[in-house]
Every structure is written in C-alpha cells, then in structure tokens.
Amino acid sequence: MSANALSTNAFPASTFSTSSLSYVDLLNGSGGAVISVSITKAAGTSLLVRASMSARQNAANATITLGVNDGTTDHYVAENRNFATCDVVLAGMTIISGLGAGTFTIKLRIKLDAANQCNFGVDHSAALMVMEIAP
Amino acid sequence: MTINVENKNVAFASSFTTSSTSYVDLLDGPGGAVIDVTIVKTGGAADSNILVQCGACCVQNATTAVVTLGIHDGTTTFDAGRAENYQTAYGLILGAKLFTGLAAGSYTFKIRVKLSAGNQVNFNANHSGFITAMEVAA
C-alpha cells in the first residue's frame, strides 16, 4: 500500500530577496513562481509536510524562519540563527491537522527578524514534500 | 496501513574528496561503496510514484562555492538539492526528487555530487549521509 504524496524542487535562476518580518511566499527567483504542491485528501486525515531550503543570511546574529501555508494558515517548520553573514540550510517537518476533504495547495513561506535579509539565489535550492497520513 | 520505504544511513569511514564539476558517485570513503538504496515498486506506472530524499554533511573548501547533490535512477542524474557557503565551512545539503511514470519493478537510486569551479568538498569521518526511497500513490 502506498500513501498519497507529492513533492517539488526549486532551483532558482535568479535571486529572490526579502527582509519581511512577517511570512511571505518563497518565490523561485526574482518574480518567480510560488514553490508549492497541490494535494487532494480525504476527510479524517492529516498532512505531513517536509520542507527544506538553502539560503544566505545577510546580517550577523540574524534569524530566518521557514514555514508552510495551507491556504489559510501559516505553520512553523524551522528556524536558524547565524553568528555572521553566511549560507544556511533550514529543514524540518510539520503535521497539518483539521483539514477537511478536498484539494489543498501547500506552499513554502519565510520570514526574517529585524535587520536581516534573506537571499534565495542561483546557488540555492528548496524542496517541499506533502503526504496524506492517518490523523 | 503500511508504506513501502527503503532507507540507508552512512557514517563516512574516511574522507571522500572530489573537485569534479560534473556528477560523480558519492562514496562512503576513498574507494568505498556508493550510497544507494533499492526499492521494489509494486504499483504500475499510473498507480504509484517513488519519492527519493537524500542529504549529506561535508566541508566545503572554498569561498562562495556550491555543492550539488544529484539522484541517479540507473539512467539519469537529476538535481536534488544544492547549497552554497559564504566561506570555507561545514555544510549540509538536502535534496528530494519525485520519480513518476515508473513501471512496477526494482529500482536502485544513488547519491551523486558535483561542485562549482574551484571548489573542493570533503565528506569526512565526522560526517554522514542518507538516502530514502518511498513508494507513494500517484
């Protein structure tokens, strides 16, 4: 038996930059597409989401937070704080419960802390996996 | 309910080093074994897919250098994930790839690696790698 699951990768051809302190969509490059998957689920199940990305943090003592959005709500996945300007990898999982039957688009989102900037560019990548699981 | 999953974890026994700018097999040490996983796909091409995830930590021995992990399906290497370092640093690269349209049968997936120009990567005794293959509904 197999589970209902989908996955996507992103390898931006240009740099998406943001300094937003609230969640914004992670785009596949400047003006690029939202990084998302659309999955159809039954009632009474949950979604297991695995998200990861590499990126550059352009400030010292700064934090990037990686999240996912289910069409309504942002869900925290992972965060990383750096000692100096550096490249980082963020990765984690979350379970989204309470969704009814239907098709849901899950997308990657990020936010920064004050004075930080995130560059997601040509030398970085992201991955998103969504799997329907028992509640 | 059970799911068809195969996994392999590797602790590098000694340093595997490469500067190749085209894909080479990621070995678990000099002259070592490839890091691969074999899964028997029970569903037909329209019934199921295979989701492969992989990762490895390493030392990136150059500034603003890029390490890319690929997944080889027996025929082709697909980009799975890449990461850059701001200066010589320890790094982690994660990747994933959904393989669709595969008929039922046995498939072996292995990790490959390539570098940007002027870079070198070391997978040392204090590092690890993994690859997981999972049959999922189409």
Side-chain angles (χ1 to χ4, degrees), chain B residues 70-94:
Chain B
I71 298 172
H72 188 265
D73 66 355
T75 304
T76 305
T77 304
F78 298 89
D79 291 344
R82 68 187 175 200
E84 183 186 28
N85 59 309
Y86 192 66
Q87 55 190 353
T88 297
Y90 292 97
L92 169 66
I93 304 101
L94 295 170

Side-chain angles (χ1 to χ4, degrees), chain A residues 1-7 9 11-12 50 52 54 56 85-87 89-91 121-125 127 129 131, chain B residues 1-4 47-48 51 53 64 66 79-86 92 94-98 134-138:
Chain A
M1 181 176 288
S2 56
N4 181 25
L6 292 169
S7 175
N9 304 76
F11 295 92
R50 172 201 178 277
S52 62
S54 55
R56 176 164 295 174
T85 297
C86 68
D87 290 88
V89 173
L90 300 169
V122 297
D123 297 322
H124 301 126
S125 69
M129 182 275 285
M131 179 183 295
Chain B
M1 178 177 176
T2 57
I3 301 173
N4 184 19
D47 302 320
S48 65
L51 174 62
Q53 302 174 76
T64 59
V66 182
D79 291 344
R82 68 187 175 200
E84 183 186 28
N85 59 309
Y86 192 66
L92 169 66
L94 295 170
K97 171 71 179 173
L98 185 68
M134 179 184 304
E135 185 177 5
V136 299

Side-chain angles (χ1 to χ4, degrees), chain B residues 13-77:
Chain B
S14 55
S15 183
F16 172 77
T17 298
T18 183
S19 299
S20 177
T21 54
S22 56
Y23 274 122
V24 297
D25 291 344
L26 178 59
L27 306 179
D28 65 2
V34 297
I35 301 171
D36 62 4
V37 67
T38 298
I39 188 168
V40 177
K41 185 175 186 288
T42 58
D47 302 320
S48 65
N49 299 319
I50 297 180
L51 174 62
V52 181
Q53 302 174 76
C54 65
C57 47
C58 58
V59 181
Q60 291 169 262
N61 280 322
T63 58
T64 59
V66 182
V67 179
T68 302
L69 290 187
I71 298 172
H72 188 265
D73 66 355
T75 304
T76 305
T77 304

Side-chain angles (χ1 to χ4, degrees), chain A residues 60-120:
Chain A
N61 300 309
T63 302
I64 298 177
T65 301
L66 176 65
V68 294
N69 181 278
D70 62 13
T72 304
T73 304
D74 291 317
H75 301 267
Y76 171 89
V77 173
E79 64 186 316
N80 199 337
R81 188 166 180 85
N82 60 314
F83 197 66
T85 297
C86 68
D87 290 88
V88 297
V89 173
L90 300 169
M93 288 184 163
T94 187
I95 293 176
I96 302 175
S97 301
L99 299 177
T103 300
F104 294 88
T105 297
I106 310 298
K107 59 184 178 181
L108 293 178
R109 307 198 85 192
I110 60 170
K111 64 179 181 180
L112 294 301
D113 64 352
N116 192 12
Q117 181 191 57
C118 173
N119 289 348
F120 178 62

Side-chain angles (χ1 to χ4, degrees), chain B residues 100-125:
Chain B
T100 61
L102 297 177
S106 179
Y107 294 90
T108 296
F109 299 91
K110 63 182 177 182
I111 304 175
R112 309 198 84 195
V113 61
K114 67 179 180 180
L115 291 305
S116 57
N119 192 13
Q120 182 192 64
V121 64
N122 294 348
F123 297 87
N124 291 334

